[in-house]
Amino acid sequence: MKLDTPEMVARRSYDSSSRDRAAQERKDRCVAIFADMLDEGWYPDITLESVAEQAGVTVPTLLRYFGSKEGLLQSAT
């Protein structure tokens, strides 16, 4: 059986809406945690590691979402 027939392609369609929604929820959680940290302390004292740990993500994930700590700050303000 050929796998690239129109019937097979139609069955393999992918809906990423739940994945996209979960990613947006993670981003929102990261921003909220960062904003809470800003309310409690100074910007220089906040590390990406501490935000990532509290948000349940990794530092590379934060960097992929926001580019830098400054990007996270811009999203939080």
Side-chain angles (χ1 to χ4, degrees):
M1 174 192 316
K2 287 185 75 175
L3 295 179
D4 60 349
T5 63
E7 296 81 20
M8 292 301 291
V9 172
R11 280 194 266 161
R12 287 190 281 149
S13 66
Y14 178 73
D15 177 17
S16 67
S17 62
S18 62
R19 183 176 184 210
D20 295 340
R21 195 171 30 258
Q24 187 60 51
E25 289 171 1
R26 281 190 301 274
K27 288 178 189 177
D28 293 345
R29 187 172 59 245
C30 292
V31 170
I33 287 168
F34 186 77
D36 288 345
M37 291 175 134
L38 282 174
D39 287 342
E40 297 172 7
W42 295 97
Y43 174 78
D45 296 333
I46 300 170
T47 65
L48 290 177
E49 290 81 5
S50 61
V51 176
E53 182 179 333
Q54 287 191 32
V57 298
T58 63
V59 171
T61 297
L62 283 179
L63 293 173
R64 186 173 64 247
Y65 288 161
F66 304 104
S68 65
K69 184 177 168 182
E70 290 75 21
L72 184 54
L73 176 64
Q74 289 177 349
S75 294
T77 56

